[in-house]
Amino acid sequence: MAERVQQPPAKRLCCRPGYNPACRQGQRAGGVLCGGPGSAPGGSGKTHNPESLLDIAARRVAEKWPFQRVEERFERIPEPVQRRIVYWSFPRSEKEICMYSSFNAGGEESGTSGENNDETQLPFLRGVTLLEGGWVDNVLQVGFHLSGTVTDPATSSQPEMVCSVSVSFDRCKITAVTCSCGNKDIFYCAHVVALALYRVRKPEQVKLHLPISETLFQMSRDQLQKFVQYLISVHHTEVLPTAQKLADEILSTNSEINQVHGAPDPTAGASVDDENCWHLDEEQVQEQVKLFLSQGGYHGSGKQLNLLFSKVREMLRMRDSNGARMLTLITEQFMADPRLALWRQQGTTMTDKYRQLWDELGALWMCIVLNPHCKAEQKCSWLRQLRRWNSVDVCPWEDGNHGNDLPNLTHSLPQGAHGNQESRPHRTVFTRAIEACDLHWQDRHLQHIIASDLYANYCYHDNQDGSLFDARGWPMWHEHVPTACARVDALRSHGYPREALRLAIAVVNTLRRQQQRQLEHFRRHKKELLHKGTSITNMEGWVGHPLDPIGTLFSTLTETGRGTEEGANTCLDLSDCSSVVSRAELQRLPVQRLLGEGESYVALAVETALIGLGQQRVMPDGLYAQEKVCRNEEQLLAKLQEVELDDTLVKIFRKQAVFLLESGPYSGLGELVYRESVPMHTFARYLFTSLLPHDAELAYKIALRAMRLPVLESTASPGDLSRPHHLVSVVPNRYPRWFTLSHIESQQCELASTMLTAAKGEHTHTHKHKHTHTHTGLALLVTVTCVCQPGDSRKLETVLESIQKNIHSSSHIFKLAQDAFKIATLMDSLPDITLLKVSLELGLQVMRITLSTLNWRRREMVRWLVTCATEVGVYALDSIMQSWFTLFTPTEATSIVATTVMSNTTIVRLHLDCHQQENLASSARTLALQCAMKDPQNCALSALTLCEKDHIAFETAYQIVLDAAATGMSYTQLFTIARYMEHRGYPMRAYKLATLAMTHLNLSYNQDTHPAINDVLWACALSHSLGKNELAAVIPLVVKSVKCATVLSDILRRCTLTTPGMVSALNSRRNSGKLMSLDKAPLRQLLDATIGAYINTTHSRLTHISPRHYSEFIEFLGKARETFLMAHDGHIQFTQFIDNLKQIYKGKKKLMMLVRERFG
């Protein structure tokens, strides 16, 4: 708070009616100590006397009545009475002072600045230190005003500072504070705390005076003049101008000051019209919230705002009216945040943390308007305020981005009704609070519930839906469940934990009864419901609901045993309501405890959480609302995991599991599930791991039922009874946008992995279960020590079938396959063949799913599948090769599958004999030939490699290549296979494939760096080595395919360096041992083509040549001359060529000059 040095103006004008100066003459004007005669017990004395009637009455008056009303009520108040009222008007509890000087009442949180987390720096604790260190001095109480000086001792960084502090108070509340330290913060500074605590802890050391107006009444005219003159003399520099101004106005008959009866007195206490509340610096609250919002989530601003919200709840719990004031100030700043308009304009969403702050804001307003003691005019004021905020265009919507289709808070739709959802306006974060303004606490049954633990009825039993009592005679409360839980939260928030507990138990009793009736209804109409289908029973779920009803009930029940809260011993008085519960009525009620025999609050909380988590509900629209469902579910499960399971809780788990399985459309684990229902994977995994050590069959039933993910399945027709679990779509023509689908699928995968791990664990004779929950694939840790038992494979097969049927993500199935493989091969003993088969089956499913779709992990998946099949055995490898076309692409089958199968590593791993090796190799060769037939471009070379050791298969593969060469293969692929053939010792086959490749090739004049040049040179070298005839056959192909002069000249030189056919020189008479002539075929044809290519390339380059390329061009002509000179008349041809260039390109003078210099 901004603690200003200036004293606030007086609250009221003081003038004693019927004042007679004579009656004041001679009375003592001095002051007495607070702990004087008649002071209350609690001083330093050890003797405790009974409290006087004067003190009892004065304390009551000081707490409830403004002093002005006391003065108006009595013509003359004796001075001792005045002193006791003034004495008792100061706060006596340190709790409120602590609340207004630190974020947390226990002093556990840091200050608003968030810069120093040292608890000793908190204002309250620093104030205590200053008080205990004796740094408080000159304490004086004048009427309802306390002042003093507080010294801040010197430190290494700052000198000693003396602060003047003053505090105004009224009716046991500090109403104004000032301090000269200049500190600006929401809460009181340490100096104010020190002075206030001095008055609380040492009242006997504080000198107490009556209000200054009372002292002035006792003075004569001379005394008053002397008093004023001395006052002006002491403070003439500060007050002289003001004193003169006031004197002029008083002397003026018509001045405004003379029109008012009496004069202001800052020490006389509050007037009748003043609001009685603790001092709260509104300006600083607004500034701090504005600062936090402007930081946009940085510097811990989100934490600081949450601390402010916690402070509001703390004020509500203390029943402090500033709670609503402070929340109003916070809300105004939230609504003024400029980012709201920017986000709305840009169509972007606010951050998740910021969105949660708005949710808390809305929830707090629900608590405010549901205050049981809220006056009608106050509620009307809040309603106008909420409607004003609600009407602002940038007011955030309740579900984040979409208009909410949920029913009205106080008039929820009947179960099964749809209503006209499209016509509803968008629901904002304030909509529920606005609707809650219509709620009241006058219902007689509600008053009975919250008024006493004894309320019950053992005679009145009604099986109708609206029955007020259950079969045990315990009260129920039939109301929209989130609304009823909002009442519970309001009672807790306003400091009535016992009343909140009573209402919470009544709500839980209602949920139990409702669950039982739903089960009975489904059993009676099961055939009809399964045949026709019904509308969704819950358009809004309790988990993920904006009001968090299940979380509220759980917290209310579990916190009961942690000690009494503030206000726990204070009864909720609803005497201002129209229907009053009299004490006589309560006494006539039979004695009844809140809990039944063997029940506990924790057990009730756990059962409530299970009911809420198992509710079948529609997935809401919008990213934020869907993320909130997941987050709220995880929060509830985290709370449940903190509860240690005992026999009583296990019974509750068993009972709820059966209910959930048999409750049909009302349960998310029921037989009838809706396409848009929130999946139960995360909840079911918790149930599974909790029930597994106690009831494995039930645990598996729950988990297998929860594996469904209907949103990814096609909608079943209502009359389709062939499906084991029927799917009914609420909106058949809409495919819902599930923004959290990836998270949901991962949770489905986690559930499946947990079951696989547990099923593996059940192969052992002894089990060692560790109850744990993780987010890894191995969610349940099981220690395995023995061999397989009969019947376990059936569970694994059941889990496998469920995975294959319900999981649609290839990556998640692959993860499960890997997990199963790790578990099966984890132990030092022999691998678990049953689990290996499960892993293989999952791997095969992944191969089928990803065969026709792109997946960046595909090659990894294929390699892993071969590894898994190898572990299973040779028959598995043979099986995947027999059906390769349904699992792999031809390239994968040859390059990965067949190659790995025929590797030495695989043979050694499988311990195969010669016969088994040959059979496996035969299967691999057959696969390779089939793949080569289907995709010769990519598989021919692999097929040739795999078939090398089998002559017939090799010839077949070669023929496949020849057949495909004419149409289906590129020159690159043919050159590669040709080189392979040469490497394997088949030069003639290599030559044939090379000539086929040449027919597909085309090298233009400027492609002198083409990657196929090396292949062309290799082909020519191969032909040259085979003989003149082969070279003569390939040169026309080269001339036709290659237009690049440098490549042709390179081939020409190589052919003239050696004699053709040297490879077959020993076996062929065709070779004469002479070099080939350039004047005869086939080299003459090659020479002419090379010269022609140089001429064409020269003209082409000169068309667009630039000066920086002149030197490069001259070098090119030099190479051309070398080629020209290889012909017998080459010199003449080159001279003519140069002359033609000079004539044609004579405009390029500089270039032609360079040509003349080099070539003449």
Side-chain angles (χ1 to χ4, degrees):
M1 51 159 279
E3 291 151 350
R4 302 171 183 81
V5 178
Q6 292 80 11
Q7 180 69 27
K11 294 186 176 180
R12 66 185 180 90
L13 303 177
C14 298
C15 179
R16 176 153 304 181
Y19 165 69
N20 183 359
C23 72
R24 296 290 181 179
Q25 299 297 328
Q27 291 189 4
R28 187 166 59 91
V32 297
L33 295 178
C34 288
S39 62
S44 59
K46 297 183 179 180
T47 304
H48 298 280
N49 297 321
E51 196 171 11
S52 68
L53 183 59
L54 172 60
D55 275 316
I56 295 173
R59 188 171 66 246
R60 291 299 181 186
V61 170
E63 291 174 353
K64 302 296 184 182
W65 282 27
F67 195 66
Q68 182 184 5
R69 178 167 294 175
V70 178
E71 290 181 324
E72 292 173 350
R73 180 73 178 270
F74 305 98
E75 181 176 347
R76 182 178 179 278
I77 306 171
E79 185 175 312
V81 176
Q82 291 189 53
R83 290 186 182 282
R84 301 321 295 163
I85 293 176
V86 169
Y87 172 82
W88 288 113
S89 292
F90 196 86
R92 295 181 292 278
S93 171
E94 297 183 9
K95 185 169 292 185
E96 286 86 355
I97 298 172
C98 179
M99 182 172 71
Y100 279 93
S101 56
S102 60
F103 264 121
N104 188 279
E108 297 173 0
E109 301 293 349
S110 61
T112 54
S113 64
E115 297 174 357
N116 195 333
N117 292 326
D118 186 1
E119 288 187 1
T120 60
Q121 297 303 310
L122 296 176
F124 182 79
L125 297 180
R126 285 182 55 222
V128 172
T129 303
L130 291 173
L131 173 63
E132 293 175 349
W135 298 104
V136 183
D137 199 7
N138 302 323
V139 182
L140 175 67
Q141 180 177 342
V142 180
F144 297 88
H145 185 273
L146 183 71
S147 63
T149 57
V150 180
T151 304
D152 235 341
T155 63
S156 57
S157 59
Q158 61 183 14
E160 181 178 279
M161 179 174 62
V162 179
C163 300
S164 298
V165 185
S166 64
V167 173
S168 296
F169 53 91
D170 174 54
R171 283 169 278 179
C172 300
K173 293 181 178 68
I174 293 176
T175 57
V177 299
T178 59
C179 181
S180 61
C181 68
N183 180 53
K184 291 186 177 182
D185 201 350
I186 293 178
F187 303 117
Y188 303 164
C189 68
H191 313 110
V192 172
V193 172
L195 179 63
L197 292 181
Y198 187 96
R199 173 62 176 80
V200 173
R201 296 185 181 183
K202 304 177 181 180
E204 73 284 353
Q205 297 182 21
V206 178
K207 195 169 185 178
L208 188 149
H209 296 266
L210 293 178
I212 193 67
S213 56
E214 291 291 328
T215 305
L216 295 177
F217 282 140
Q218 299 175 24
M219 293 183 184
S220 65
R221 186 216 176 270
D222 292 338
Q223 289 172 324
L224 283 172
Q225 183 170 356
K226 183 179 290 188
F227 170 77
V228 173
Q229 288 182 205
Y230 267 101
L231 181 63
I232 294 174
S233 176
V234 174
H235 301 287
H236 66 278
T237 56
E238 292 90 357
V239 304
L240 186 58
T242 304
Q244 185 61 53
K245 180 182 177 182
L246 290 174
D248 292 341
E249 290 186 4
I250 290 174
L251 292 175
S252 175
T253 309
N254 298 324
S255 64
E256 183 179 351
I257 198 171
N258 285 323
Q259 307 303 317
V260 179
H261 186 61
D265 181 2
T267 67
S271 67
V272 176
D273 299 327
D274 287 341
E275 184 180 1
N276 181 230
C277 60
W278 283 78
H279 172 73
L280 179 69
D281 194 322
E282 298 185 0
E283 180 182 345
Q284 277 304 306
V285 172
Q286 292 173 321
E287 287 298 323
Q288 291 285 352
V289 175
K290 186 176 181 180
L291 175 64
F292 294 148
L293 290 175
S294 67
Q295 292 173 351
Y298 301 102
H299 311 295
S301 59
K303 177 183 178 183
Q304 300 302 325
L305 288 169
N306 276 316
L307 289 175
L308 282 179
F309 288 144
S310 299
K311 178 58 64 179
V312 172
R313 286 194 178 273
E314 183 184 352
M315 290 177 175
L316 296 181
R317 192 161 54 250
M318 301 284 285
R319 297 163 204 164
D320 189 332
S321 60
N322 277 337
R325 280 180 64 202
M326 189 169 180
L327 187 61
T328 301
L329 298 171
I330 294 173
T331 307
E332 289 287 1
Q333 292 305 310
F334 266 73
M335 291 299 297
D337 191 344
R339 292 179 297 172
L340 291 177
L342 184 64
W343 288 330
R344 181 64 61 89
Q345 182 181 3
Q346 295 177 345
T348 55
T349 58
M350 61 180 69
T351 62
D352 191 56
K353 288 186 177 179
Y354 190 55
R355 185 61 250 193
Q356 292 177 38
L357 292 173
W358 276 102
D359 284 352
E360 179 65 11
L361 199 65
L364 281 171
W365 275 113
M366 278 288 294
C367 292
I368 295 288
V369 300
L370 282 175
N371 182 357
H373 284 305
C374 177
K375 296 179 181 178
E377 58 271 16
Q378 198 173 33
K379 184 178 286 190
C380 289
S381 173
W382 289 335
L383 180 58
R384 287 193 300 271
Q385 196 168 247
L386 290 167
R387 283 175 174 168
R388 177 171 60 84
W389 292 328
N390 190 70
S391 63
V392 177
D393 182 56
V394 295
C395 184
W397 297 347
E398 186 178 61
D399 61 351
N401 301 311
H402 295 74
N404 202 323
D405 293 337
L406 302 183
N408 182 280
L409 180 68
T410 53
H411 305 94
S412 58
L413 294 175
Q415 291 185 356
H418 289 227
N420 185 11
Q421 297 174 2
E422 295 181 359
S423 64
R424 294 198 185 97
H426 295 309
R427 296 176 63 86
T428 73
V429 292
F430 301 116
T431 302
R432 294 185 182 275
I434 292 172
E435 294 169 352
C437 289
D438 295 332
L439 299 174
H440 59 79
W441 298 85
Q442 280 88 359
D443 184 90
R444 189 174 186 82
H445 182 59
L446 175 62
Q447 292 182 30
H448 277 93
I449 291 174
I450 63 179
S452 173
D453 299 347
L454 310 178
Y455 184 49
N457 190 327
Y458 299 112
C459 302
Y460 176 70
H461 299 294
D462 189 353
N463 292 326
Q464 300 301 318
D465 290 339
S467 174
L468 300 180
F469 300 91
D470 62 13
R472 299 176 299 179
W474 288 24
M476 297 187 294
W477 178 240
H478 295 281
E479 191 176 28
H480 181 228
V481 173
T483 309
C485 295
R487 291 184 185 271
V488 175
D489 190 31
L491 290 170
R492 288 177 64 216
S493 299
H494 287 283
Y496 301 104
R498 190 66 182 177
E499 288 80 357
L501 177 64
R502 293 166 186 155
L503 182 56
I505 292 176
V507 173
V508 174
N509 289 338
T510 311
L511 293 180
R512 285 169 155 180
R513 177 59 180 153
Q514 178 184 358
Q515 188 183 46
Q516 182 64 43
R517 292 185 65 82
Q518 288 171 349
L519 176 61
E520 294 169 359
H521 178 266
F522 179 67
R523 286 173 175 172
R524 287 196 304 268
H525 304 91
K526 183 174 182 178
K527 291 184 178 179
E528 179 185 351
L529 290 173
L530 291 179
H531 180 73
K532 294 182 179 180
T534 63
S535 59
I536 187 71
T537 56
N538 291 294
M539 290 302 293
E540 62 174 351
W542 300 332
V543 176
H545 192 280
L547 299 179
D548 190 19
I550 301 300
T552 298
L553 293 176
F554 189 91
S555 300
T556 304
L557 293 167
T558 53
E559 289 174 3
T560 301
R562 299 179 185 174
T564 58
E565 301 182 28
E566 175 66 22
N569 297 322
T570 305
C571 296
L572 175 59
D573 183 12
L574 296 175
S575 57
D576 56 341
C577 301
S578 59
S579 177
V580 181
V581 184
S582 67
R583 291 187 177 274
E585 288 178 302
L586 293 178
Q587 290 173 355
R588 287 196 297 270
L589 295 172
V591 176
Q592 176 65 43
R593 294 175 298 180
L594 285 174
L595 297 176
E597 191 68 32
E599 285 186 339
S600 68
Y601 293 122
V602 172
L604 209 58
V606 169
E607 185 171 9
T608 304
L610 297 180
I611 292 173
L613 289 165
Q615 177 203 32
Q616 184 171 176
R617 53 202 182 270
V618 167
M619 178 68 78
D621 291 333
L623 171 62
Y624 177 75
Q626 293 176 12
E627 287 181 340
K628 191 172 183 179
V629 168
C630 299
R631 183 169 57 248
N632 196 197
E633 181 181 37
E634 290 170 357
Q635 290 169 348
L636 273 173
L637 290 175
K639 291 178 181 178
L640 284 172
Q641 289 166 11
E642 294 174 0
V643 179
E644 186 176 352
L645 296 185
D646 54 19
D647 293 340
T648 302
L649 292 180
V650 169
K651 290 179 182 178
I652 292 174
F653 269 77
R654 281 198 175 109
K655 183 184 86 169
Q656 284 301 320
V658 173
F659 268 124
L660 293 172
L661 288 172
E662 297 180 359
S663 292
Y666 305 100
S667 165
L669 295 169
E671 191 172 351
L672 186 63
V673 66
Y674 302 95
R675 187 163 175 251
E676 294 88 351
S677 291
V678 175
M680 297 281 117
H681 307 130
T682 310
F683 176 46
R685 184 156 61 95
Y686 169 73
L687 285 179
F688 178 80
T689 53
S690 300
L691 285 170
L692 189 64
H694 311 285
D695 192 336
E697 287 298 323
L698 185 57
Y700 275 99
K701 284 182 182 179
I702 286 284
L704 291 170
R705 178 71 64 84
M707 278 294 291
R708 303 170 296 192
L709 189 52
V711 73
L712 295 181
E713 301 175 11
S714 58
T715 306
S717 60
D720 182 10
L721 298 179
S722 61
R723 298 177 64 87
H725 306 297
H726 310 291
L727 309 178
V728 180
S729 178
V730 179
V731 190
N733 297 325
R734 176 178 73 93
Y735 187 83
R737 289 191 66 190
W738 283 30
F739 298 94
T740 56
L741 188 58
S742 60
H743 172 76
I744 290 170
E745 286 186 295
S746 68
Q747 292 301 309
Q748 183 188 36
C749 177
E750 296 290 345
L751 174 61
S753 180
T754 303
M755 285 195 289
L756 281 175
T757 311
K760 161 66 179 177
E762 292 189 5
H763 277 34
T764 64
H765 180 67
T766 61
H767 294 65
K768 181 182 179 182
H769 296 278
K770 180 180 179 182
H771 194 80
T772 183
H773 302 269
T774 68
H775 290 285
T776 64
L778 308 180
L780 181 70
L781 304 179
V782 185
T783 303
V784 184
T785 56
C786 293
V787 295
C788 175
Q789 287 183 341
D792 295 329
S793 59
R794 287 198 298 272
K795 281 186 179 176
L796 281 172
E797 291 171 3
T798 305
V799 175
L800 173 63
E801 291 174 3
S802 178
I803 293 171
Q804 292 176 325
K805 175 185 175 183
N806 296 298
I807 297 184
H808 304 277
S809 167
S810 59
S811 59
H812 288 126
I813 299 176
F814 183 52
K815 180 181 181 300
L816 287 171
Q818 289 178 307
D819 286 348
F821 183 78
K822 290 175 184 176
I823 298 168
T825 58
L826 192 62
M827 300 303 149
D828 296 332
S829 58
L830 293 175
D832 186 336
I833 191 64
T834 306
L835 197 55
L836 276 175
K837 289 181 180 178
V838 170
S839 178
L840 180 63
E841 283 296 323
L842 293 175
L844 294 175
Q845 185 179 359
V846 172
M847 291 298 102
R848 297 186 192 101
I849 293 175
T850 58
L851 179 60
S852 58
T853 59
L854 294 176
N855 192 304
W856 64 275
R857 299 183 65 190
R858 173 73 183 179
R859 291 183 67 82
E860 176 192 356
M861 294 173 175
V862 174
R863 290 192 184 95
W864 177 88
L865 182 72
V866 176
T867 303
C868 182
T870 303
E871 290 295 326
V872 173
V874 65
Y875 67 91
L877 288 174
D878 189 65
S879 175
I880 65 173
M881 288 192 293
Q882 294 293 336
S883 57
W884 70 268
F885 49 87
T886 64
L887 304 171
F888 314 108
T889 64
T891 305
E892 293 168 345
T894 53
S895 63
I896 300 177
V897 179
T899 303
T900 306
V901 167
M902 295 186 67
S903 66
N904 290 331
T905 305
T906 304
I907 294 172
V908 172
R909 176 66 179 156
L910 292 174
H911 307 291
L912 302 179
D913 57 27
C914 294
H915 179 68
Q916 290 174 322
Q917 290 181 34
E918 181 55 33
N919 288 340
L920 195 62
S922 176
S923 296
R925 287 191 290 267
T926 302
L927 177 150
L929 292 174
Q930 291 173 349
C931 292
M933 288 286 292
K934 190 171 183 179
D935 186 7
Q937 297 92 334
N938 299 311
C939 300
L941 181 58
S942 298
L944 287 168
T945 306
L946 291 168
C947 297
E948 285 177 352
K949 296 181 179 180
D950 188 288
H951 178 71
I952 297 175
F954 187 81
E955 291 298 325
T956 305
Y958 176 65
Q959 190 59 45
I960 291 172
V961 173
L962 293 179
D963 294 342
T967 55
M969 300 185 73
S970 66
Y971 62 84
T972 304
Q973 294 164 339
L974 290 171
F975 274 131
T976 303
I977 297 174
R979 286 176 180 266
Y980 164 80
M981 284 294 184
E982 183 194 31
H983 180 69
R984 288 301 176 187
Y986 299 102
M988 290 306 298
R989 292 185 177 184
Y991 167 76
K992 184 172 181 60
L993 292 171
T995 57
L996 290 172
M998 291 292 294
T999 60
H1000 297 286
L1001 180 64
N1002 184 21
L1003 278 178
S1004 63
Y1005 73 94
N1006 59 349
Q1007 291 182 297
D1008 51 358
T1009 58
H1010 195 281
I1013 291 175
N1014 287 331
D1015 290 325
V1016 173
L1017 295 175
W1018 169 82
C1020 293
L1022 175 65
S1023 304
H1024 188 272
S1025 67
L1026 291 175
K1028 183 177 179 181
N1029 294 336
E1030 285 76 8
L1031 182 61
V1034 84
I1035 283 178
L1037 296 175
V1038 172
V1039 170
K1040 182 179 180 181
S1041 302
V1042 182
K1043 306 301 180 185
C1044 182
T1046 54
V1047 176
L1048 290 172
S1049 63
D1050 195 7
I1051 296 172
L1052 183 62
R1053 285 191 193 88
R1054 294 181 185 218
C1055 291
T1056 57
L1057 292 177
T1058 58
T1059 303
M1062 293 302 294
V1063 174
S1064 55
L1066 299 175
N1067 301 321
S1068 176
R1069 295 179 180 178
R1070 295 177 298 169
N1071 190 289
S1072 60
K1074 297 181 180 180
L1075 296 175
M1076 295 182 68
S1077 173
L1078 292 172
D1079 296 332
K1080 298 179 181 179
L1083 293 188
R1084 180 64 190 184
Q1085 183 182 3
L1086 181 59
L1087 177 60
D1088 292 342
T1090 306
I1091 292 173
Y1094 270 114
I1095 293 173
N1096 292 334
T1097 303
T1098 300
H1099 286 293
S1100 177
R1101 294 182 68 170
L1102 284 171
T1103 303
H1104 303 290
I1105 196 169
S1106 62
R1108 70 175 182 271
H1109 295 138
Y1110 284 175
S1111 58
E1112 181 185 341
F1113 178 72
I1114 296 301
E1115 294 299 324
F1116 176 75
L1117 285 180
K1119 293 180 181 179
R1121 182 171 61 178
E1122 294 174 3
T1123 303
F1124 272 82
L1125 293 178
M1126 294 178 73
H1128 71 281
D1129 57 348
H1131 179 73
I1132 299 172
Q1133 290 186 44
F1134 186 73
T1135 302
Q1136 291 175 349
F1137 174 55
I1138 294 298
D1139 291 341
N1140 288 337
L1141 291 180
K1142 294 175 184 177
Q1143 184 65 32
I1144 296 171
Y1145 302 102
K1146 58 184 178 182
K1148 299 182 184 295
K1149 296 180 181 180
K1150 184 176 180 181
L1151 178 61
M1152 291 303 106
M1153 183 181 68
L1154 293 174
V1155 171
R1156 289 190 193 95
E1157 290 177 357
R1158 179 74 179 271
F1159 304 107

